[in-house]
């Protein structure tokens, strides 16, 4: 990577999007809809009942909005883990009666082996110093029949999502630092994205299903309507609706975000048949 990295402490103080409650709750609705389909617990009532009776943990929970929605989806025990102390304080103040919030490093999760039914790891890996170690630790704590939800940014996505600078994630660290400084975005570029191939290697100990295209093709089914907001979004939706399947698949290496569901043992999506079904991802 070219330089030593340090943990991003107090991230909610740096990135205001982490405190955008409406946006975070929309993300949670999408997460729960995907989990509901995979588990065969689809809900027409805002996700209620999808996680009934389950122990659920949000790794990288920050201010707790997604964790709160996991409670609303029926989780019997909900845990939130982060190193973002200001975010955790906000979370505990609002949701501490419903969610157990813990200050902890993802490389040493404070849970016993095989103890969590559902893990959520949504757009976190690019921020942590050692994502492979975090993934290994999530494999340890996930129940043998458990499910891991992953929102994964793609290095080859053209527009970098945090600083809105094109091709930023393509650059080596020194050039990326110069780029963000040039536009007054930050002193340095901390995030490190991986390509689809690199993400497959990162998840090599899991069985993975890709929900990216199902969500893009049927966004209303997965609470993903915000993906196509405004005139540009409507145009993109019209293009996707007319694009043949083989071309959609060919474009996957350039999709900015992947939505994957992973398990420790072979397991198949249990939900209803979709126009574009989830596809199995072959990991090394």
């Amino acid at each position: 990577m070219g330089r030593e990295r340090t943990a991003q402490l107090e991230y909610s103080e740096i990135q205001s999007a982490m405190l955008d409650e409406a946006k975070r709750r929309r993300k949670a609705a999408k997460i729960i809809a995907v989990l509901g389909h995979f588990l065969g617990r689809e809900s027409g009532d805002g996700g209620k009942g999808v996680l009934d009776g389950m122990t659920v943990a949000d790794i990288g929970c920050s201010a707790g909005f997604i964790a709160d929605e996991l409670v609303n989806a029926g989780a019997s025990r909900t845990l939130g883990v982060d190193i973002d102390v200001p975010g955790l304080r906000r979370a505990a103040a609002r949701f501490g009666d419903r969610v157990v919030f813990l200050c902890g490093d993802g490389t040493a999760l404070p849970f016993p082996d095989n103890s969590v039914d559902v893990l959520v790891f949504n757009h976190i890996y690019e921020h942590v110093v050692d994502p492979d170690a975090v993934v290994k630790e999530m494999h340890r704590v996930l129940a043998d029949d458990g499910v891991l939800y992953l929102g994964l940014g793609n290095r080859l996505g053209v527009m970098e999502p945090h600083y809105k600078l094109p091709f930023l994630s393509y650059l080596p660290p020194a050039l990326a630092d110069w780029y963000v400084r040039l536009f007054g975005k930050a002193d340095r570029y901390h995030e490190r994205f991986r390509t689809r191939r690199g993400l497959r290697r990162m998840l090599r100990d899991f069985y993975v299903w890709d929900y990216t295209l199902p969500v893009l093709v049927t966004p209303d089914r997965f609470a993903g309507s915000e993906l196509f907001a405004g005139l540009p979004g409507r145009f993109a939706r019209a293009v996707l609706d007319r694009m043949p399947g083989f071309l959609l698949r060919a474009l996957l290496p350039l999709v900015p975000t992947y939505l994957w569901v992973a398990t420790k043992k072979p397991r198949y999506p249990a939900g209803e048949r979709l126009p574009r079904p989830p596809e199995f991802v072959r990991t090394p």
Side-chain angles (χ1 to χ4, degrees):
M1 294 301 181
R3 67 169 66 213
E4 183 179 354
R5 299 178 68 208
T6 57
Q8 282 185 300
L9 303 173
E10 302 185 350
Y11 186 67
S12 62
E13 301 290 285
I14 302 168
Q15 185 58 257
S16 61
M18 301 304 294
L19 303 179
D20 185 335
E21 181 168 352
K23 184 176 181 179
R24 300 299 290 173
R25 291 191 185 276
R26 287 195 299 269
K27 286 182 180 292
K30 182 169 57 182
I31 292 167
I32 292 164
V34 170
L35 288 169
H37 183 271
F38 187 85
L39 295 167
R41 294 183 171 196
E42 297 165 274
S43 169
D45 188 18
K48 291 182 180 178
V50 166
L51 302 176
D52 276 0
M54 295 185 174
T55 296
V56 182
D58 182 13
I59 310 302
C61 65
S62 192
F65 301 120
I66 289 177
D68 185 55
E69 290 295 334
L70 299 175
V71 176
N72 293 337
S76 61
R77 187 182 186 208
T78 304
L79 309 153
V81 181
D82 211 317
I83 57 173
D84 176 5
V85 172
L88 287 170
R89 286 183 181 139
R90 290 187 178 94
R94 284 196 61 183
F95 313 119
D97 59 334
R98 289 155 54 87
V99 180
V100 177
F101 292 104
L102 303 165
C103 185
D105 191 323
T107 62
L109 293 172
F111 310 136
D113 295 357
N114 310 314
S115 62
V116 182
D117 300 306
V118 175
L119 287 166
V120 173
F121 193 57
N122 187 52
H123 293 285
I124 302 297
Y125 89 90
E126 70 269 21
H127 299 286
V128 304
V129 175
D130 189 350
D132 295 288
V134 177
V135 168
K136 182 177 181 181
E137 185 69 350
M138 291 193 296
H139 189 278
R140 178 186 69 81
V141 305
L142 187 66
D144 286 341
D145 60 349
V147 175
L148 165 62
Y149 175 93
L150 298 141
L152 302 166
N154 176 15
R155 184 180 179 184
L156 299 183
V158 172
M159 187 62 72
E160 202 281 343
H162 304 91
Y163 301 102
K164 309 301 181 186
L165 294 173
F167 303 108
L168 173 59
S169 56
Y170 284 55
L171 300 176
L175 279 177
D177 289 349
W178 171 83
Y179 193 10
V180 295
R181 285 197 300 268
L182 177 67
F183 285 89
K185 299 286 188 177
D187 292 330
R188 61 176 293 193
Y189 183 55
H190 180 94
E191 289 74 14
R192 296 290 184 270
F193 287 97
R194 301 186 182 190
T195 63
R196 183 177 176 86
R197 183 178 181 183
L199 294 169
R200 287 168 50 214
R201 286 198 297 268
M202 187 173 76
L203 274 297
R204 59 188 173 273
D205 292 330
F206 287 90
Y207 297 88
V208 178
W209 288 88
D210 190 343
Y211 272 80
T212 308
L213 292 183
V215 172
L216 287 173
V217 172
T218 52
D220 295 337
R221 169 65 185 74
F222 290 101
S225 57
E226 82 282 356
L227 297 171
F228 301 101
L231 184 59
R234 290 196 294 273
F235 176 77
R237 176 76 182 272
V239 171
L240 283 173
D241 287 345
R242 291 164 176 76
M243 193 174 290
F246 76 90
L247 188 54
L248 277 173
R249 194 175 295 108
L251 290 174
L252 270 177
L254 299 177
V255 169
T257 297
Y258 299 118
L259 306 178
W260 289 358
V261 173
T263 59
K264 290 169 69 169
K265 294 183 177 181
R267 189 168 175 179
Y268 293 87
E272 64 182 5
R273 178 77 177 176
L274 299 170
R276 171 65 57 181
E279 296 187 2
F280 184 71
V281 178
R282 295 193 179 278
T283 54

